[in-house]
Amino acid sequence: MTTVSLKIESGATQSTPPKGFRSWLTFWEAQRGKHAAECEAFGCDREVTEAGRVIKVGKEDGVYILPLCDRCSSQANTRIFKAWDKDLVMLTPEPEAVT
């Protein structure tokens, strides 16, 4: 498995989830097909409170969604952290709701 270095996307708290989803976390869970329970940032085992919009450090290839705890998600652009690449959900311009 591959790890990636990430940071919270600047201005991410002002974004709204895609149509058909009540939160970024429900979007991530629908796309991954599983329930998020623990923060996905390496070294953190706190309970997930939301899914953050993250970007890969050194790669401008898009915005991703990742389940995070309140502490990790509040460090917008101030801290680089690692996570598994497989846990990222790429955000496309118009994601479709899973029914």
Side-chain angles (χ1 to χ4, degrees):
M1 288 190 266
T2 305
T3 62
V4 290
S5 295
L6 304 164
K7 63 182 179 176
I8 304 294
E9 178 194 31
S10 181
T13 57
Q14 299 169 352
S15 66
T16 57
K19 186 176 180 179
F21 297 96
R22 67 181 183 274
S23 70
W24 285 112
L25 186 56
T26 57
F27 170 75
W28 184 90
E29 289 175 335
Q31 300 303 307
R32 297 289 297 144
K34 66 179 187 176
H35 174 72
E38 192 173 285
C39 182
E40 296 291 344
F42 282 6
C44 184
D45 60 359
R46 294 171 55 118
E47 183 179 348
V48 166
T49 55
E50 61 187 275
R53 291 169 52 109
V54 298
I55 55 174
K56 292 180 181 178
V57 175
K59 284 188 171 182
E60 300 296 325
D61 67 346
V63 176
Y64 298 84
I65 306 301
L66 185 70
L68 298 168
C69 68
D70 56 348
R71 182 178 59 195
C72 290
S73 66
S74 69
Q75 299 178 20
N77 264 341
T78 60
R79 181 176 77 98
I80 295 172
F81 61 94
K82 291 192 178 283
W84 294 114
D85 190 49
K86 69 174 183 62
D87 291 325
L88 298 174
V89 169
M90 185 169 214
L91 182 59
T92 57
E94 289 296 325
E96 296 294 323
V98 176
T99 56

